[in-house]
Structure formats: structure tokens, C-alpha cells
Amino acid sequence: MNRYRPRTLALELAMIFAALVVGFPVYVLVNLSVRPALDTSSPIHPTTSPTLENFSRAWQQGALGGALANSVLVTVCSVVIVLAVSSLAAYPLARVTARWSRGTYLLVLLGLVLPFQLASLPLYQTMRDLGLLGTPWALVLFYSGLQVPFTVFLYVGFLRALPRDFEDAALIDGCTPLQGFRHVVLPMLKPVTVTALVLNAVAVWNDFFTPLLYLSGSAQQTMPVAIAGFVGQYVTDWNLIFAALVISILPVLLVYFLLQRSIINGFAGGLRG
């Protein structure tokens, strides 16, 4: 029979404190998003007369519909390309032990060390020459290259921990290496794939600098840039900003709740691998 020990009490108190620390900013965010503009009380004070007008005003004034569509397009396309390219690239890098494989892997990891800001000017010129400035496809191309080194690193570490018995059996049965990867290895990569999907999607969705650089001067914008548009030099409507932030968070929360079990299991499995 388990007894309620002082250590259990201490752990419960620590978890309650951690929940309060995490939940407090969320409370302030939601509280201010439903507060009327004339209410100037403390952000901590509960709103006595909540309103949804801030959401409609933010949606119309910030053109959040188009920004939300662009963010979804850029995130989905970028993550799909990154996962496809990284998984295919990581497979030979993890399985082949030749010198060229190790050298190529180190070259890919070099992308984790070098800051992308060093290449901002030549990348901008390249996007301009390709005629992609001011379009979401410039962001898709940029993220598809930026996130590959980190994702390859995740896949290679996971693949090296996987036994080769199943794919060797598939090759003996007549499968080509690509068929063995598709039908045997790829299903076993689900944990690390979910982990990479979550990390890449969050990084792309929340990025502010790159959309500001490549979409500047055009009507196209993503959610972070659209939200920053509410901040003026002389006037800043914080209620609209917090309402826009809630709108930006809702799609991510919706996807999380729909895929909660797969994300948790995949993330834990990816970390173990």
C-alpha cells in the first residue's frame, strides 16, 4: 500500500507552482484580449465586462484572414519538403560507413553552426533574381533549406539506433534500397518524424524576421508580421494585439488537440531514439 509521503507533497506543490507559472501569461493574454478598450485597469485584474469585439476588429484591421492563410501555406509546404528531403538524405548517411558519407554528414551539420544571418544578403539577392520576393514561395524555399540540417541530425541519430535486420530481409526478398526505405524503414521513423514535424512547424509558424525581410513592401504577410502591424509609433492598441495573438495561437492548439496522442507518443519516442 502506497503512503502519502512528504516527498509526494513536495512534488505536487512543485507541479502546482509550475502550472501557475505557465498558466499566468496565458491568463493575462486571454484576459486582455476580451477587455474593452476603455478599461485601463491592471492586466491581472479580471475583466468584468468581456467582449469579443477585439477579435473582429483585429481580424478586419490587420487583414488576418490572408495572413493566416499564408502562414498555413508556408508552414505546411515547408515542413513537408523538409521531412521528405531530410529523411531521404539521412538514410544513406546513417547506413553507409564510407568516408564520403561521414564527410557529407559533417558538411550538413555545418549548417547548424553557421548563423543564417550571414547569408541574408546573398539569399535576398537570389530570391530577387528568381522573382520570388513578395510571395510566400520565397519563405517556403528559405525554410526548406534552413531546417534541413537540424532535421537530418535528428533522423541520422534515430536511424543509427535502429537495427538493420528488417531492411536487410527486404533487400534479400528483392526490394530495392528505395523500396526498402519506403516500406520498411519509413514506418519505423514515425516517432522521430512527429518530433521533427512539431519542432519545424513551431519554428516556421513563429518566425518573424524572415517574412518581414522577404515580404516587405507587398500585400502578402504572415501572422507574426500582421500582428506587429498593430504596433504604431505613437499609438498601440494592446487589446487588438492580444486578440490577434489568440487568433494566431488557435490553429496550433487545434492541430495539437486533434493529434495530441500521436504528438506526445512520437515526441517521447523521438527523444528516446
Side-chain angles (χ1 to χ4, degrees), residues 84-96 105 151-157 159 181 189:
V85 172
S86 300
S87 59
L88 288 171
Y91 182 57
L93 294 178
R95 291 299 190 233
V96 179
Y105 180 57
T151 312
V152 168
F153 172 74
L154 291 179
Y155 273 115
V156 169
L159 278 165
F181 172 78
L189 294 180

Side-chain angles (χ1 to χ4, degrees), residues 23 37 39 42-43 51 57 65 73 77 109 112 114 134 155 185 202 209 214 233 264 267:
D39 189 345
S42 171
T51 177
R57 289 179 56 199
L73 173 65
C77 293
L109 293 186
L112 293 174
L114 297 178
Y155 273 115
V185 178
V202 171
F209 174 75
Y214 291 130
Q233 183 177 1
I264 293 176
F267 194 74

Side-chain angles (χ1 to χ4, degrees), residues 3-69:
R3 295 181 179 180
Y4 193 81
R5 302 177 181 275
R7 181 182 178 184
T8 305
L9 175 62
L11 290 175
E12 289 182 352
L13 293 177
M15 294 302 296
I16 293 174
F17 177 76
L20 291 176
V21 170
V22 174
F24 179 74
V26 179
Y27 161 74
V28 174
L29 171 66
V30 177
N31 186 44
L32 293 180
S33 67
V34 296
R35 174 170 294 183
L38 298 179
D39 189 345
T40 58
S41 58
S42 171
I44 304 177
H45 187 273
T47 301
T48 55
S49 54
T51 177
L52 298 179
E53 182 183 359
N54 294 329
F55 294 95
S56 60
R57 289 179 56 199
W59 184 270
Q60 296 173 1
Q61 295 183 17
L64 296 186
L68 185 62

Side-chain angles (χ1 to χ4, degrees), residues 27-268:
Y27 161 74
V28 174
L29 171 66
V30 177
N31 186 44
L32 293 180
S33 67
V34 296
R35 174 170 294 183
L38 298 179
D39 189 345
T40 58
S41 58
S42 171
I44 304 177
H45 187 273
T47 301
T48 55
S49 54
T51 177
L52 298 179
E53 182 183 359
N54 294 329
F55 294 95
S56 60
R57 289 179 56 199
W59 184 270
Q60 296 173 1
Q61 295 183 17
L64 296 186
L68 185 62
N70 286 333
S71 290
V72 172
L73 173 65
V74 171
T75 302
V76 171
C77 293
S78 301
V79 170
V80 169
I81 294 175
V82 167
L83 294 181
V85 172
S86 300
S87 59
L88 288 171
Y91 182 57
L93 294 178
R95 291 299 190 233
V96 179
T97 58
R99 182 176 300 176
W100 67 265
S101 177
R102 294 193 294 269
T104 305
Y105 180 57
L106 293 177
L107 184 63
V108 172
L109 293 186
L110 189 63
L112 293 174
V113 181
L114 297 178
F116 74 91
Q117 289 85 353
L118 293 177
S120 295
L121 181 58
L123 283 175
Y124 185 88
Q125 293 174 340
T126 301
M127 297 296 181
R128 180 196 60 192
D129 295 339
L130 293 174
L132 297 177
L133 286 182
T135 68
W137 302 112
L139 301 180
V140 172
L141 183 60
F142 175 84
Y143 292 128
S144 298
L146 178 67
Q147 299 298 119
V148 163
F150 172 70
T151 312
V152 168
F153 172 74
L154 291 179
Y155 273 115
V156 169
F158 192 87
L159 278 165
R160 286 176 176 173
L162 286 179
R164 303 185 58 166
D165 299 342
F166 294 104
E167 53 192 286
D168 289 341
L171 295 177
I172 293 174
D173 289 339
C175 286
T176 64
L178 184 59
Q179 291 173 335
F181 172 78
R182 177 184 175 185
H183 297 290
V184 178
V185 178
L186 190 58
M188 294 191 293
L189 294 180
K190 181 181 178 181
V192 71
T193 298
V194 175
T195 302
L197 185 151
V198 172
L199 296 177
N200 283 297
V202 171
V204 174
W205 184 272
N206 292 331
D207 186 30
F208 172 77
F209 174 75
T210 307
L212 181 66
L213 178 64
Y214 291 130
L215 302 182
S216 179
S218 69
Q220 304 286 343
Q221 56 187 349
T222 59
M223 287 299 292
V225 178
I227 294 172
F230 289 105
V231 180
Q233 183 177 1
Y234 302 104
V235 178
T236 300
D237 197 334
W238 291 106
N239 300 90
L240 296 186
I241 292 177
F242 284 107
L245 285 172
V246 172
I247 295 174
S248 177
I249 293 172
L250 287 179
V252 180
L253 289 179
L254 178 62
V255 173
Y256 173 78
F257 285 125
L258 291 176
L259 304 176
Q260 182 177 8
R261 185 182 300 274
S262 298
I263 290 175
I264 293 176
N265 293 338
F267 194 74

